[in-house]
Amino acid sequence: MRNLAVLIRDILRTRRTSSRTIDHFRSTAARLISIVAAPLLLTACAATFEGFPDRVVDPDKEVAANIRESDAQVAKYRELSASASDEEMRTIRRNSAVMQRLSAVNIKFSQFEKALFIEGVGSGVATDWVALAINAAGTVTGTAALKSALHATSVGLLGAKAAFDKNAYWDKTLPVLVGQMYASRKAIEAKIRSGLVRPDREYPLDVALMDVEQYYVAGTIPGALLAIAESSGASAKKSEEEITQIVKFAYFPDEIRDKLSKWMFFDRGNLTDSEKADATKRRKEFDDFISKEAPGVLPQSALREPQYKYLRERAAQKFL
């Protein structure tokens, strides 16, 4: 790296560049690229640790068997009548078909999770670096002029940094997405399993299959992104509502609240020793009253927030 920097400095100091200097630059740049790329290429090719043990059965065969059995149960379900006499059998067929589909989806998700792990940031950085180095080497070692050689080396170095930044960002994002997938899948699985304990008339097969499809979508990157967006939207809405309540409180004074605040000496500072003792006693009485009247509501919330006006009215009747 130092040799290349010195060479570039010397070139920029001269107006004319000899072919010998260009050849020397090409040689130095090519060596630099090979030094950077070779270890990464070996790392990418030699990465055999996958983080997952070998399966005891062939997952593709198991998925195929699950789908065959599920389709068979669906066909038998369709043959049954809607009469009450076939209710129990329809429920049995429904449960069997749905559980087979869930098993297939789980296996596919496990394969997907393994692929995400294997194709993580390590191999991604190595692959991008090698590709960028090869492209730069092709330009440098060709017949292009010095300007093209300098440009190729610059693109190679800047591109390598961009590749690292991109994959490092993905490496930090991926755990969040996978975590969201797990959470969403668990929520939908709970919905499906609670449905399967009910009779078919309350949770028909077609509804259950739609839920299974949602279960699949929850285990995808787009599904995780959508769930995160929805969660963020809900959080933003809740925060907005809280802000609205605060603003309403700030601009719409409450006479009872003001009287209670004055009674507990919240309206001023610099209390005398006697007033401090009274304030401590009264505030404790108010806290105990709120805890008894509305367990779980904080005393400061009961005193300040608009929705707890009824508590303030009761406190005023008792203390004022």
Side-chain angles (χ1 to χ4, degrees):
M1 181 69 76
R2 182 178 179 277
N3 291 338
L4 182 60
V6 172
L7 181 60
I8 294 173
R9 182 199 64 192
D10 293 340
I11 291 172
L12 293 175
R13 284 179 178 177
T14 62
R15 293 185 178 181
R16 298 179 62 187
T17 305
S18 66
S19 60
R20 182 178 177 182
T21 303
I22 295 175
D23 290 341
H24 181 43
F25 173 79
R26 288 172 176 164
S27 173
T28 304
R31 287 199 304 273
L32 173 67
I33 290 169
S34 65
I35 290 171
V36 171
L40 292 169
L41 181 60
L42 291 173
T43 301
C45 295
T48 57
F49 175 70
E50 296 182 350
F52 290 78
D54 293 335
R55 286 189 172 274
V56 295
V57 294
D58 187 326
D60 292 330
K61 291 182 178 179
E62 190 172 1
V63 168
N66 288 143
I67 297 303
R68 282 197 302 270
E69 178 62 23
S70 178
D71 288 346
Q73 292 296 331
V74 170
K76 293 177 181 178
Y77 174 93
R78 304 292 186 199
E79 294 172 357
L80 296 170
S81 67
S83 64
S85 60
D86 285 338
E87 174 75 24
E88 182 178 357
M89 186 54 64
R90 285 201 312 275
T91 302
I92 292 173
R93 300 297 188 197
R94 176 204 65 187
N95 289 0
S96 179
V98 170
M99 292 306 296
Q100 293 291 339
R101 294 282 179 95
L102 284 178
S103 178
V105 172
N106 285 338
I107 293 171
K108 284 296 185 182
F109 179 76
S110 179
Q111 291 178 307
F112 174 62
E113 186 180 20
K114 180 179 179 180
L116 287 177
F117 179 85
I118 295 172
E119 297 177 9
V121 66
S123 62
V125 170
T127 301
D128 287 351
W129 271 74
V130 170
L132 290 162
I134 290 174
N135 290 336
T139 304
V140 170
T141 57
T143 59
L146 179 61
K147 183 177 180 181
S148 297
L150 285 166
H151 176 70
T153 305
S154 174
V155 169
L157 294 174
L158 293 175
K161 181 180 183 302
F164 177 81
D165 290 345
K166 177 191 68 178
N167 286 281
Y169 177 76
W170 173 248
D171 184 50
K172 293 181 180 296
T173 304
L174 188 58
V176 177
L177 294 176
V178 173
Q180 183 60 57
M181 291 180 201
Y182 272 101
S184 299
R185 280 164 50 85
K186 285 295 182 184
I188 299 174
E189 182 182 0
K191 177 184 177 183
I192 292 172
R193 290 185 179 276
S194 65
L196 295 182
V197 300
R198 291 162 22 210
D200 179 71
R201 67 179 180 275
E202 296 180 8
Y203 190 61
L205 174 63
D206 291 329
V207 175
L209 292 180
M210 286 190 290
D211 287 342
V212 172
E213 180 63 19
Q214 287 186 343
Y215 182 66
Y216 163 78
V217 172
T220 66
I221 290 177
L225 291 171
L226 179 60
I228 291 172
E230 290 177 348
S231 176
S232 299
S235 298
K237 183 178 180 181
K238 181 180 178 182
S239 298
E240 184 178 356
E241 291 174 351
E242 291 175 351
I243 291 172
T244 301
Q245 292 296 332
I246 293 172
V247 171
K248 178 186 288 188
F249 166 76
Y251 289 96
F252 296 93
D254 185 312
E255 183 179 354
I256 297 177
R257 180 205 65 210
D258 293 341
K259 289 181 178 180
L260 286 170
S261 296
K262 185 176 181 179
W263 176 71
M264 289 184 282
F265 296 95
F266 280 128
D267 61 325
R268 60 189 178 88
N270 299 322
L271 301 179
T272 65
D273 291 341
S274 175
E275 289 173 335
K276 287 179 181 178
D278 287 342
T280 300
K281 178 175 178 294
R282 293 176 182 181
R283 291 172 189 179
K284 185 178 185 307
E285 290 176 351
F286 180 81
D287 291 353
D288 292 342
F289 175 79
I290 296 300
S291 297
K292 181 179 178 181
E293 291 290 319
V297 176
L298 295 176
Q300 57 266 38
S301 297
L303 179 63
R304 299 176 181 176
E305 296 180 13
Q307 65 268 33
Y308 297 125
K309 184 177 180 180
Y310 71 98
L311 289 175
R312 293 192 290 276
E313 290 174 347
R314 293 180 189 175
Q317 290 176 358
K318 180 174 179 65
F319 299 119
L320 300 182

